[in-house]
Amino acid sequence: MKLRVEVVAVDSLMVRLFDVIDEANMPWMLAARQRLQAAFGGRLVDLVPSYTTLMVQFDLLQMSPTEARSCIEQALADVQPDNGGAGRRHEIPVWYDPSVGPELALLAQRSGKSLAEVIRLHSEREYQVFALGFAPGFAFMGLVDECLAAPRLATPRKRVAAGSVGIAERQTAAYPAVSPGGWNLIGRTPSALFDRDRDGYSLLQPGDRVRFVPVDHGTFMRLGGDDTPLEAQV
Amino acid sequence: MSRLIIEASTPLCLLQDAGRFGMRHLGVTQGGALDWVSMRWANWLLGNAVDAPVVEITLGGFSLIAEQDACLALAGADLDARLDGQPLTPWRSFMMRKGQRLRFNQPLSGARAYLAAPAGFVAPLVLGSCACVVREGLGGLDGFGTPLVEGEYLTYTGVAPGLREVSVQQRPDLRSNAPLDMVLGAQIGSFSGQSLFDAFNAAWVLDRRADRMGIRLLGPALQYQGEPMISEGIPLGAVQVPPDGQPIVLLNDRQTIGGYPRLGALTPLALARLAQCVPGNVVTFRPVLQVQAYEQQVAFLRQFESMPVARCGAGQP
């Protein structure tokens, strides 16, 4: 880890910890985030973690940019990776089916595998949540098996159903709500990924570990899933 | 409780406050009034907390009828507001009698008007704010991100102080063509020399592709020569440059993280001015140091703290 602090806005500094995406970054990222939260306390407006960075927005009426910078440097001077604090584990049910996962066949074709093999490859790994972004509760997870890696759709869909599970490059994610989207869709989960009445709101948080569990249509429906095919949802 | 009934509205008429904070790590955007300076003045006119809920009216098409006598306040753009047909200019509080109609017709100067009510309009707090973010389904009168619609009631519970106005000297100049201040970001050194010259010398034209997420600017194509970036947090006002070289200024409803290189970020005061521009307007940028921008911003915020507090008085309905 090599710490750099960069100016990004009048009230924001970027804390850069790494230069490449790596699952091994996470214990450092979690520890640094905790240190910063403690050091800034009520002077922190927002702390936005991503793959290799933590963006700190501070309250200008309580501290100057110079003070914020030295606060960051002091807080992270002797930071150690937080190996014990690894996030929660989740099992997320997914109904993998071409009717709700229109790119399932495409990924099978690209990789030369059967549909069943694609499903097995996607569901056997435990993924790490790297960051949340794009939409409330949208968790960027990885890394998926190399043979499933696929570029985003050339033309994003105007409408992707809530719960849709997709792949882009070597990352995977589930759409918490209906939205536009360009990921390759392979299935759908009945799980609520963002719930305003839940403590913490988002099911997934950076550092959490996720495994997707294949379920059949009946189980998907029993868990509250909506099986309306994508094309039929207007 | 006092009520106003909405007689006409558009998808661009939204309940807003200062925005949603402490939630961006969940992918939840900030939201909030784009011209936060005018929102503050509208609230100041009524002695409200500076970030009490207001209605952000973009371009017009909004109309209300008072169910009781009301004292309201208007700041920001001049949208050809009429009170029973009589012109009503912004930067003042005003009396609206029972049954009177307040209508916003079309932009005469600026783009966004802010309407405030005593103690703020009543709305549920969702994740700490009533800021209406349609894309995320958060905030607004129903709490689910729905813009204001015809037939709904706006309510408030406060009592207004006497009528007042913002002095001419203190009103923001919505027609100013002074450059917009930008705090330079870390990738600034990875743009070509010509691009840096262009960024701060070209006249940038506001594109029609503009919303509460961001405003595209048209001008010389800027060239980023650095490494591809890994997605990272996006501050308010970030000026990002996608591969086509045409910058986008990211606003309150922006995505929380993103991977396009950035020239820097506009200052909050520059953003308030940009929020009053319409497609076809021309803007220029001026680089400023973070410390300069900090001093300017703090001086501006302190000004509100040092002004006399409004007292209930003659204008009370």
Side-chain angles (χ1 to χ4, degrees):
Chain A
M1 190 202 72
K2 200 178 97 208
L3 177 73
R4 280 147 298 162
V5 181
E6 299 164 357
V7 173
V8 284
V10 60
D11 60 352
S12 302
L13 293 166
M14 191 68 74
V15 180
R16 198 171 295 285
L17 298 172
F18 297 98
D19 292 315
V20 292
I21 297 177
D22 191 329
E23 295 193 41
N25 296 352
M26 192 51 75
W28 292 92
M29 300 293 295
L30 292 173
R33 189 177 157 193
Q34 210 158 36
R35 289 277 189 106
L36 291 172
Q37 274 166 337
F40 279 79
R43 300 175 297 180
L44 192 64
V45 175
D46 251 306
L47 181 57
V48 190
S50 190
Y51 300 87
T52 56
T53 53
L54 292 156
M55 190 176 81
V56 175
Q57 185 185 0
F58 50 93
D59 182 356
L60 287 178
L61 289 176
Q62 296 188 60
M63 69 199 307
S64 70
T66 314
E67 288 164 338
R69 185 181 279 267
S70 52
C71 183
I72 291 169
E73 284 163 357
Q74 278 173 29
L76 301 184
D78 57 350
V79 66
Q80 291 300 316
D82 180 1
N83 289 306
R88 292 169 303 166
R89 288 194 142 73
H90 305 268
E91 292 202 337
I92 296 184
V94 178
W95 176 43
Y96 293 93
D97 190 87
S99 68
V100 291
E103 274 76 59
L104 200 53
L106 177 77
L107 294 194
Q109 195 189 353
R110 280 178 61 103
S111 58
K113 313 267 183 202
S114 65
L115 291 191
E117 191 74 354
V118 169
I119 295 166
R120 188 182 65 77
L121 285 172
H122 186 257
S123 58
E124 75 180 2
R125 278 200 189 197
E126 189 180 58
Y127 300 111
Q128 185 182 70
V129 176
F130 289 117
L132 270 64
F134 174 68
F138 187 99
F140 292 88
M141 294 174 258
L143 295 170
V144 300
D145 192 290
E146 265 177 75
C147 74
L148 297 184
R152 288 172 173 77
L153 305 181
T155 309
R157 290 188 168 87
K158 286 207 171 71
R159 211 180 140 86
V160 168
S164 294
V165 175
I167 290 178
E169 303 301 345
R170 293 196 59 197
Q171 299 196 64
T172 185
Y175 288 83
V178 174
S179 76
W183 290 39
N184 299 278
L185 306 183
I186 57 172
R188 205 178 281 180
T189 177
S191 299
L193 294 147
F194 192 85
D195 181 350
R196 61 176 70 197
D197 299 321
R198 178 197 287 137
D199 192 30
Y201 309 113
S202 177
L203 179 66
L204 306 176
Q205 307 276 343
D208 284 1
R209 317 284 310 192
V210 175
R211 219 171 63 76
F212 294 104
V213 181
V215 296
D216 59 19
H217 180 253
T219 310
F220 173 78
M221 295 306 286
R222 203 164 55 247
L223 293 172
D226 176 357
D227 64 352
T228 315
L230 210 59
E231 304 74 40
Q233 292 192 333
V234 187
Chain B
M1 175 115 71
S2 306
R3 299 206 301 184
L4 301 152
I5 183 161
I6 299 172
E7 197 190 32
S9 187
T10 80
L12 302 181
C13 298
L14 306 167
L15 207 67
Q16 294 292 349
D17 56 19
R20 213 161 259 118
F21 295 98
M23 297 290 163
R24 296 223 299 281
H25 62 290
L26 303 177
V28 176
T29 195
Q30 170 180 346
L34 289 190
D35 178 358
W36 60 279
V37 172
S38 293
M39 172 194 74
R40 279 184 172 236
W41 282 120
N43 278 320
W44 174 83
L45 285 164
L46 297 173
N48 295 347
V50 289
D51 53 0
V54 296
V55 177
E56 178 178 272
I57 302 154
T58 302
L59 302 176
F62 191 67
S63 178
L64 290 165
I65 293 176
E67 284 207 337
Q68 298 88 13
D69 288 357
C71 179
L72 306 175
L74 186 61
D78 184 345
L79 298 182
D80 188 21
R82 305 281 174 130
L83 193 55
D84 272 359
Q86 294 302 307
L88 177 75
T89 54
W91 309 112
R92 67 191 76 245
S93 52
F94 59 93
M95 290 303 301
M96 188 172 170
R97 298 291 170 197
K98 179 180 174 182
Q100 276 194 312
R101 171 181 289 118
L102 174 60
R103 206 181 147 73
F104 296 84
N105 293 309
Q106 55 179 325
L108 298 180
S109 168
R112 294 181 166 88
Y114 292 85
L115 180 71
F121 290 108
V122 175
L125 289 181
V126 179
L127 279 64
S129 162
C130 74
C132 185
V133 179
V134 177
R135 175 170 52 90
E136 295 185 344
L138 298 175
L141 273 187
D142 65 351
F144 289 92
T146 311
L148 296 171
V149 292
E150 175 193 328
E152 278 183 321
Y153 289 96
L154 285 167
T155 60
Y156 62 92
T157 56
V159 177
L163 295 178
R164 46 160 49 170
E165 61 177 49
V166 180
S167 73
V168 175
Q169 297 83 347
Q170 284 179 310
R171 292 176 198 173
D173 178 5
L174 304 188
R175 293 176 196 247
S176 162
N177 55 10
L180 300 172
D181 289 341
M182 188 197 302
V183 175
L184 299 184
Q187 290 101 45
I188 191 76
S190 298
F191 286 88
S192 73
Q194 180 66 44
S195 293
L196 289 184
F197 180 86
D198 288 342
F200 296 103
N201 289 281
W204 295 100
V205 180
L206 270 77
D207 190 19
R208 267 186 305 187
R209 287 170 296 172
D211 57 22
R212 288 183 43 89
M213 287 180 76
I215 295 178
R216 282 173 186 267
L217 300 172
L218 304 175
L222 303 179
Q223 237 187 336
Y224 173 70
Q225 300 171 324
E227 296 289 309
M229 283 174 59
I230 297 169
S231 280
E232 58 186 44
I234 304 176
L236 180 63
V239 183
Q240 73 172 21
V241 181
D244 70 0
Q246 300 292 276
I248 305 173
V249 182
L250 294 169
L251 305 177
N252 297 53
D253 289 6
R254 70 199 179 281
Q255 290 181 8
T256 55
I257 62 174
Y260 287 133
R262 303 153 195 174
L263 293 169
L266 295 190
T267 63
L269 287 168
L271 287 166
R273 275 179 45 214
L274 181 65
Q276 293 294 358
C277 293
V278 294
N281 282 174
V282 171
V283 296
T284 56
F285 295 129
R286 176 174 69 180
V288 294
L289 295 174
Q290 190 187 32
V291 63
Q292 292 175 290
Y294 160 70
E295 283 163 6
Q296 182 192 46
Q297 179 68 4
V298 168
F300 183 83
L301 293 175
R302 297 265 188 242
Q303 170 196 335
F304 278 93
E305 290 175 6
S306 62
M307 279 188 301
V309 178
R311 290 200 178 77
C312 295
Q316 195 174 318

